[in-house]
Amino acid sequence: MSSAPVRIAFVHHARTRNTGDSWSTPALHFPWPAHRILHLRDPVPPCDAVIYGGGVIHGQLVRDRIHLAAPARIRIAWGIGVSAKDGRRPQDIPLPGGFDLIGVREFGREAQSPAALHVPCASCMLPQFDRPWPVTRAVVGFVNADPNRPAPDLGDLPVLANDRPLEEVIAWLGSAEVVVTNSYHGAYWATLLGRRVVCIPYSSKFHGFRFPPAMATAETWREAIRDAPRHPEALETCRALNRAFYARVRALIGVAD
Protein backbone atom coordinates (compact mmCIF):
# COMPACT_ATOMS: atom_id res chain seq x y z
CA MET A 1 0.00 0.00 0.00
CA SER A 2 1.26 3.48 -0.88
CA SER A 3 2.71 5.61 1.94
CA ALA A 4 1.82 8.88 0.18
CA PRO A 5 -0.24 11.33 2.29
CA VAL A 6 -4.01 10.80 2.00
CA ARG A 7 -6.53 13.60 2.33
CA ILE A 8 -9.61 11.44 1.74
CA ALA A 9 -10.19 7.73 2.30
CA PHE A 10 -13.11 6.18 0.41
CA VAL A 11 -14.48 3.00 1.99
CA HIS A 12 -16.98 0.66 0.33
CA HIS A 13 -17.36 -2.90 -1.01
CA ALA A 14 -14.15 -2.54 -2.98
CA ARG A 15 -13.49 -6.28 -3.33
CA THR A 16 -16.70 -7.74 -4.66
CA ARG A 17 -18.11 -9.68 -7.61
CA ASN A 18 -21.14 -7.39 -7.58
CA THR A 19 -20.61 -4.94 -10.44
CA GLY A 20 -23.03 -2.39 -9.02
CA ASP A 21 -21.33 -2.25 -5.64
CA SER A 22 -17.88 -2.03 -7.20
CA TRP A 23 -18.87 1.17 -9.06
CA SER A 24 -20.80 2.76 -6.19
CA THR A 25 -18.01 4.79 -4.58
CA PRO A 26 -18.00 8.53 -5.40
CA ALA A 27 -14.20 8.28 -5.64
CA LEU A 28 -14.69 7.02 -9.21
CA HIS A 29 -17.08 9.73 -10.36
CA PHE A 30 -15.77 13.12 -9.19
CA PRO A 31 -12.36 14.83 -9.05
CA TRP A 32 -10.67 14.64 -5.64
CA PRO A 33 -7.36 15.60 -4.06
CA ALA A 34 -5.01 12.87 -2.77
CA HIS A 35 -7.19 9.90 -1.90
CA ARG A 36 -7.29 6.14 -1.52
CA ILE A 37 -10.06 3.58 -2.14
CA LEU A 38 -10.39 0.95 0.58
CA HIS A 39 -12.44 -2.13 1.31
CA LEU A 40 -14.66 -2.14 4.41
CA ARG A 41 -12.19 -4.09 6.52
CA ASP A 42 -9.03 -2.30 5.36
CA PRO A 43 -7.33 -0.06 7.93
CA VAL A 44 -8.03 3.61 7.29
CA PRO A 45 -4.91 5.81 7.26
CA PRO A 46 -4.84 9.18 9.05
CA CYS A 47 -6.71 11.60 6.77
CA ASP A 48 -8.81 14.74 6.65
CA ALA A 49 -11.97 12.85 5.77
CA VAL A 50 -13.28 9.32 5.39
CA ILE A 51 -16.23 8.75 3.05
CA TYR A 52 -18.29 5.57 3.33
CA GLY A 53 -20.52 4.30 0.53
CA GLY A 54 -22.30 3.49 -1.52
CA GLY A 55 -23.84 0.06 -1.32
CA VAL A 56 -25.51 -1.64 1.60
CA ILE A 57 -23.00 -1.00 4.40
CA HIS A 58 -25.59 0.09 6.93
CA GLY A 59 -24.99 -2.99 9.10
CA GLN A 60 -21.26 -2.40 9.41
CA LEU A 61 -21.89 1.22 10.38
CA VAL A 62 -24.70 0.59 12.88
CA ARG A 63 -23.65 -2.78 14.30
CA ASP A 64 -19.86 -2.64 14.06
CA ARG A 65 -19.48 1.19 14.08
CA ILE A 66 -16.38 0.85 11.93
CA HIS A 67 -16.40 4.55 11.04
CA LEU A 68 -15.87 5.67 14.63
CA ALA A 69 -12.42 4.07 14.73
CA ALA A 70 -11.23 5.78 11.56
CA PRO A 71 -8.49 8.36 12.25
CA ALA A 72 -10.22 11.11 10.30
CA ARG A 73 -11.23 14.66 11.13
CA ILE A 74 -14.51 14.37 9.18
CA ARG A 75 -16.78 11.36 8.62
CA ILE A 76 -19.20 11.28 5.70
CA ALA A 77 -21.67 8.70 4.38
CA TRP A 78 -22.53 9.00 0.68
CA GLY A 79 -25.42 7.11 -0.86
CA ILE A 80 -25.33 4.30 1.69
CA GLY A 81 -28.06 1.68 1.43
CA VAL A 82 -30.13 0.36 4.29
CA SER A 83 -31.60 -3.11 4.11
CA ALA A 84 -33.73 -5.37 6.29
CA LYS A 85 -35.49 -8.61 5.46
CA ASP A 86 -38.06 -8.41 8.26
CA GLY A 87 -40.69 -6.37 6.46
CA ARG A 88 -39.66 -2.95 7.77
CA ARG A 89 -39.74 0.02 5.43
CA PRO A 90 -36.41 1.75 4.73
CA GLN A 91 -37.72 4.80 6.61
CA ASP A 92 -38.12 2.74 9.79
CA ILE A 93 -34.54 1.45 9.93
CA PRO A 94 -32.27 3.45 12.29
CA LEU A 95 -29.43 5.40 10.71
CA PRO A 96 -25.86 5.25 12.03
CA GLY A 97 -24.66 8.08 14.25
CA GLY A 98 -21.26 9.73 14.35
CA PHE A 99 -21.28 11.31 10.89
CA ASP A 100 -20.72 14.95 10.00
CA LEU A 101 -22.75 14.53 6.81
CA ILE A 102 -24.93 11.59 5.79
CA GLY A 103 -26.52 10.78 2.45
CA VAL A 104 -28.84 7.78 2.12
CA ARG A 105 -29.84 6.31 -1.23
CA GLU A 106 -33.34 5.36 -0.04
CA PHE A 107 -35.83 8.13 -0.79
CA GLY A 108 -37.85 9.68 2.03
CA ARG A 109 -35.35 9.49 4.88
CA GLU A 110 -35.07 13.27 5.12
CA ALA A 111 -38.70 13.43 6.24
CA GLN A 112 -37.95 11.22 9.28
CA SER A 113 -34.42 12.38 10.06
CA PRO A 114 -33.14 15.93 9.45
CA ALA A 115 -29.60 14.52 9.56
CA ALA A 116 -30.18 12.44 6.42
CA LEU A 117 -30.17 13.69 2.87
CA HIS A 118 -31.40 11.67 -0.07
CA VAL A 119 -28.41 10.95 -2.31
CA PRO A 120 -28.84 8.22 -4.95
CA CYS A 121 -25.94 5.91 -5.73
CA ALA A 122 -23.09 7.91 -7.28
CA SER A 123 -22.83 5.38 -10.13
CA CYS A 124 -25.45 7.51 -11.92
CA MET A 125 -22.49 9.67 -13.00
CA LEU A 126 -21.12 6.91 -15.25
CA PRO A 127 -20.69 8.19 -18.84
CA GLN A 128 -22.26 4.98 -20.18
CA PHE A 129 -25.66 6.43 -19.37
CA ASP A 130 -25.11 9.19 -21.93
CA ARG A 131 -24.72 6.75 -24.81
CA PRO A 132 -27.63 5.61 -26.98
CA TRP A 133 -28.24 1.88 -26.55
CA PRO A 134 -30.39 0.41 -29.33
CA VAL A 135 -33.32 -1.71 -28.15
CA THR A 136 -33.02 -5.18 -29.67
CA ARG A 137 -35.13 -7.23 -27.22
CA ALA A 138 -38.57 -6.83 -25.70
CA VAL A 139 -37.69 -8.18 -22.23
CA VAL A 140 -34.49 -9.38 -20.51
CA GLY A 141 -33.70 -10.65 -17.04
CA PHE A 142 -30.88 -9.44 -14.82
CA VAL A 143 -30.21 -11.40 -11.63
CA ASN A 144 -28.14 -11.21 -8.48
CA ALA A 145 -25.21 -13.64 -8.72
CA ASP A 146 -24.87 -14.01 -4.94
CA PRO A 147 -24.98 -17.78 -4.25
CA ASN A 148 -26.82 -17.03 -1.01
CA ARG A 149 -29.53 -15.27 -3.00
CA PRO A 150 -31.23 -17.84 -5.28
CA ALA A 151 -32.11 -16.26 -8.62
CA PRO A 152 -35.82 -16.18 -9.49
CA ASP A 153 -36.97 -18.61 -12.16
CA LEU A 154 -37.68 -16.42 -15.17
CA GLY A 155 -38.49 -19.28 -17.50
CA ASP A 156 -37.04 -18.92 -20.99
CA LEU A 157 -36.25 -15.21 -20.56
CA PRO A 158 -32.64 -14.37 -21.58
CA VAL A 159 -30.73 -13.56 -18.38
CA LEU A 160 -27.43 -11.94 -17.38
CA ALA A 161 -25.95 -11.97 -13.86
CA ASN A 162 -24.67 -8.95 -11.95
CA ASP A 163 -21.08 -10.23 -11.75
CA ARG A 164 -20.35 -9.38 -15.37
CA PRO A 165 -18.12 -6.41 -16.45
CA LEU A 166 -19.69 -2.96 -16.38
CA GLU A 167 -19.81 -2.40 -20.14
CA GLU A 168 -21.51 -5.76 -20.68
CA VAL A 169 -24.04 -5.05 -17.95
CA ILE A 170 -25.00 -1.60 -19.25
CA ALA A 171 -25.26 -2.88 -22.82
CA TRP A 172 -27.51 -5.72 -21.64
CA LEU A 173 -29.83 -3.47 -19.65
CA GLY A 174 -29.95 -0.97 -22.48
CA SER A 175 -30.79 -3.61 -25.07
CA ALA A 176 -34.33 -4.22 -23.79
CA GLU A 177 -37.58 -2.34 -23.57
CA VAL A 178 -38.29 -3.99 -20.18
CA VAL A 179 -35.85 -5.33 -17.56
CA VAL A 180 -36.97 -7.93 -14.98
CA THR A 181 -34.55 -8.03 -12.06
CA ASN A 182 -33.86 -8.90 -8.42
CA SER A 183 -30.71 -6.73 -8.46
CA TYR A 184 -30.75 -3.28 -6.85
CA HIS A 185 -28.36 -1.79 -9.37
CA GLY A 186 -30.08 -3.66 -12.17
CA ALA A 187 -33.30 -1.82 -11.36
CA TYR A 188 -31.50 1.49 -10.74
CA TRP A 189 -29.36 1.42 -13.86
CA ALA A 190 -32.16 0.25 -16.16
CA THR A 191 -34.29 3.14 -14.88
CA LEU A 192 -31.45 5.60 -15.57
CA LEU A 193 -31.25 4.19 -19.11
CA GLY A 194 -34.91 5.04 -19.61
CA ARG A 195 -36.07 1.42 -19.56
CA ARG A 196 -39.17 0.06 -17.90
CA VAL A 197 -38.39 -2.12 -14.88
CA VAL A 198 -40.09 -4.98 -13.07
CA CYS A 199 -38.41 -5.66 -9.74
CA ILE A 200 -38.59 -8.91 -7.75
CA PRO A 201 -37.65 -7.68 -4.24
CA TYR A 202 -36.22 -9.67 -1.35
CA SER A 203 -35.51 -6.89 1.18
CA SER A 204 -36.48 -3.37 2.15
CA LYS A 205 -33.81 -1.80 -0.07
CA PHE A 206 -36.02 -2.27 -3.13
CA HIS A 207 -38.74 -0.11 -1.60
CA GLY A 208 -36.68 3.07 -1.35
CA PHE A 209 -36.26 4.04 -5.01
CA ARG A 210 -37.00 7.68 -5.80
CA PHE A 211 -38.25 6.44 -9.16
CA PRO A 212 -39.97 3.15 -8.27
CA PRO A 213 -40.26 0.21 -10.66
CA ALA A 214 -43.19 -2.15 -10.84
CA MET A 215 -43.00 -4.80 -8.13
CA ALA A 216 -43.69 -8.49 -8.71
CA THR A 217 -42.78 -12.04 -7.76
CA ALA A 218 -41.18 -14.78 -9.83
CA GLU A 219 -44.74 -15.90 -10.59
CA THR A 220 -46.27 -12.51 -11.49
CA TRP A 221 -43.59 -10.60 -13.39
CA ARG A 222 -45.26 -11.12 -16.78
CA GLU A 223 -48.47 -9.48 -15.56
CA ALA A 224 -46.49 -6.68 -13.89
CA ILE A 225 -44.94 -5.55 -17.17
CA ARG A 226 -48.07 -3.62 -18.07
CA ASP A 227 -47.63 -1.52 -14.90
CA ALA A 228 -43.90 -0.90 -15.32
CA PRO A 229 -43.35 2.87 -15.70
CA ARG A 230 -40.68 4.81 -17.51
CA HIS A 231 -38.94 7.67 -15.66
CA PRO A 232 -37.26 9.95 -18.23
CA GLU A 233 -36.29 12.47 -15.55
CA ALA A 234 -34.44 9.94 -13.40
CA LEU A 235 -30.92 10.33 -14.77
CA GLU A 236 -30.64 14.08 -14.48
CA THR A 237 -32.39 14.17 -11.10
CA CYS A 238 -30.02 11.59 -9.60
CA ARG A 239 -27.00 13.35 -11.08
CA ALA A 240 -28.15 16.74 -9.78
CA LEU A 241 -28.53 15.34 -6.25
CA ASN A 242 -25.02 13.86 -6.40
CA ARG A 243 -23.50 17.08 -7.74
CA ALA A 244 -25.14 19.03 -4.91
CA PHE A 245 -23.83 16.56 -2.33
CA TYR A 246 -20.37 16.74 -3.89
CA ALA A 247 -20.43 20.51 -3.38
CA ARG A 248 -21.40 20.03 0.29
CA VAL A 249 -18.60 17.52 0.80
CA ARG A 250 -15.97 19.76 -0.77
CA ALA A 251 -17.06 22.69 1.38
CA LEU A 252 -17.04 20.58 4.53
CA ILE A 253 -13.58 19.15 3.86
CA GLY A 254 -12.22 22.48 2.67
CA VAL A 255 -11.33 21.53 -0.88
CA ALA A 256 -10.69 24.62 -2.99
CA ASP A 257 -12.27 24.99 -6.43
Side-chain angles (χ1 to χ4, degrees):
M1 181 177 289
S2 171
S3 60
V6 175
R7 285 208 63 190
I8 308 172
F10 291 90
V11 182
H12 75 124
H13 292 290
R15 295 190 291 272
T16 177
R17 296 172 58 210
N18 184 315
T19 302
D21 281 346
S22 67
W23 286 93
S24 67
T25 173
L28 300 174
H29 307 295
F30 292 94
W32 302 99
H35 64 277
R36 190 176 299 165
I37 299 175
L38 304 170
H39 186 62
L40 286 171
R41 296 300 178 185
D42 291 342
V44 175
C47 54
D48 288 344
V50 58
I51 299 179
Y52 291 84
V56 177
I57 60 174
H58 176 264
Q60 289 90 339
L61 300 176
V62 170
R63 181 187 62 246
D64 302 333
R65 300 164 67 85
I66 59 174
H67 57 298
L68 297 183
R73 179 173 58 89
I74 295 169
R75 295 174 177 86
I76 297 166
W78 186 321
I80 61 169
V82 301
S83 180
K85 303 173 181 66
D86 56 10
R88 283 182 294 173
R89 303 175 306 159
Q91 293 89 342
D92 296 330
I93 300 171
L95 292 177
F99 281 100
D100 298 282
L101 183 63
I102 184 166
V104 184
R105 72 185 187 184
E106 281 75 21
F107 184 54
R109 292 308 303 249
E110 61 274 20
Q112 283 75 28
S113 173
L117 299 171
H118 170 57
V119 185
C121 177
S123 61
C124 65
M125 306 305 297
L126 283 163
Q128 282 84 352
F129 295 120
D130 297 311
R131 290 169 51 183
W133 297 97
V135 175
T136 58
R137 302 175 178 91
V139 187
V140 300
F142 185 73
V143 297
N144 193 329
D146 184 347
N148 298 315
R149 183 68 50 203
D153 182 1
L154 300 180
D156 59 357
L157 198 65
V159 170
L160 189 75
N162 71 344
D163 58 355
R164 304 301 302 162
L166 175 69
E167 194 75 13
E168 183 179 353
V169 167
I170 299 296
W172 180 259
L173 298 174
S175 72
E177 175 67 25
V178 179
V179 175
V180 181
T181 183
N182 73 331
S183 158
Y184 182 92
H185 282 94
Y188 180 54
W189 289 353
T191 298
L192 298 181
L193 288 164
R195 303 311 187 243
R196 298 164 61 212
V197 179
V198 175
C199 182
I200 301 176
Y202 57 80
S203 82
S204 65
K205 68 181 180 180
F206 295 98
H207 299 283
F209 286 112
R210 187 183 188 98
F211 301 98
M215 294 293 179
T217 66
E219 294 72 37
T220 64
W221 64 264
R222 291 176 179 83
E223 293 82 359
I225 287 176
R226 65 174 176 266
D227 299 320
R230 198 186 308 274
H231 298 286
E233 71 278 27
L235 179 60
E236 188 45 48
T237 299
C238 292
R239 284 180 167 178
L241 289 165
N242 271 274
R243 293 186 189 107
F245 198 74
Y246 172 63
R248 282 177 174 261
V249 170
R250 287 174 62 91
L252 182 61
I253 297 174
V255 176
D257 292 329

